[in-house]
Amino acid sequence: MPPFLSPTQEAGRAFVTRGLAGPITMLNLLRFREVADYSASPDLAPAAPITGEEAFRRYIVHTLPFVSRSGGEVQFLGNGGAFLIGPETERWDLVMLIRQASVQSFLAFAEDRDYLAGLGHRTAALVDSRLLPLTELPIPA
């Protein structure tokens, strides 16, 4: 299976037209490169090679102010690993949950030019990822 690092136009269109109302939580599953690959963003490359994990740490530091400014918050950041239930060959290094007030606030964040200027750290860091928009349901009584 090819890696997934950014949404396709079709997936983006489906997300926007899905009609999600209210807050959304973005489930991020992330797998790091051993060594970050800054070939697509040489202007962001550090002087010496770094790990994918370190490049992603730089992405988070860059990104947090934009998440906050758009009304979002990181709800969970944690180490991943192998699944308890799932494919034995599939693992994720990091799991992140980011809550946004709405689809519109997420899009405002994702389209911010200053945020996009640091997106190369994410690209350099990751070998594969998944992003799943979630909406909350009431818990049955």
Side-chain angles (χ1 to χ4, degrees):
M1 184 177 341
F4 295 90
L5 298 176
S6 58
T8 63
Q9 284 187 336
E10 296 80 23
R13 189 176 307 109
F15 170 65
V16 171
T17 60
R18 205 168 133 188
L20 300 175
I24 59 168
T25 300
M26 303 301 265
L27 168 63
N28 293 259
L29 301 175
L30 308 155
R31 189 173 315 127
F32 300 132
R33 297 176 188 276
E34 278 190 44
V35 177
D37 177 4
Y38 279 94
S39 59
S41 301
D43 54 313
L44 295 176
I50 60 174
T51 65
E53 183 176 6
E54 176 58 30
F56 198 78
R57 191 172 301 119
R58 291 175 184 217
Y59 168 74
I60 290 174
V61 168
H62 170 80
T63 301
L64 283 178
F66 302 103
V67 169
S68 295
R69 188 164 71 199
S70 68
E73 67 174 316
V74 176
Q75 291 191 312
F76 179 84
L77 180 67
N79 291 319
F83 283 105
L84 181 58
I85 298 174
E88 292 178 10
T89 57
E90 190 173 320
R91 66 160 180 78
W92 298 100
D93 297 318
L94 192 75
V95 176
M96 187 167 52
L97 293 170
I98 299 180
R99 186 172 178 92
Q100 287 283 355
S102 66
V103 169
Q104 293 75 20
S105 60
F106 171 76
L107 293 174
F109 155 74
E111 295 170 354
D112 185 302
R113 288 179 64 191
D114 293 330
Y115 157 70
L116 292 172
L119 190 59
H121 290 300
R122 182 183 186 280
T123 305
L126 299 177
V127 69
D128 202 3
S129 67
R130 302 291 185 271
L131 182 60
L132 180 62
L134 308 169
T135 56
E136 197 168 337
L137 295 172
I139 298 172

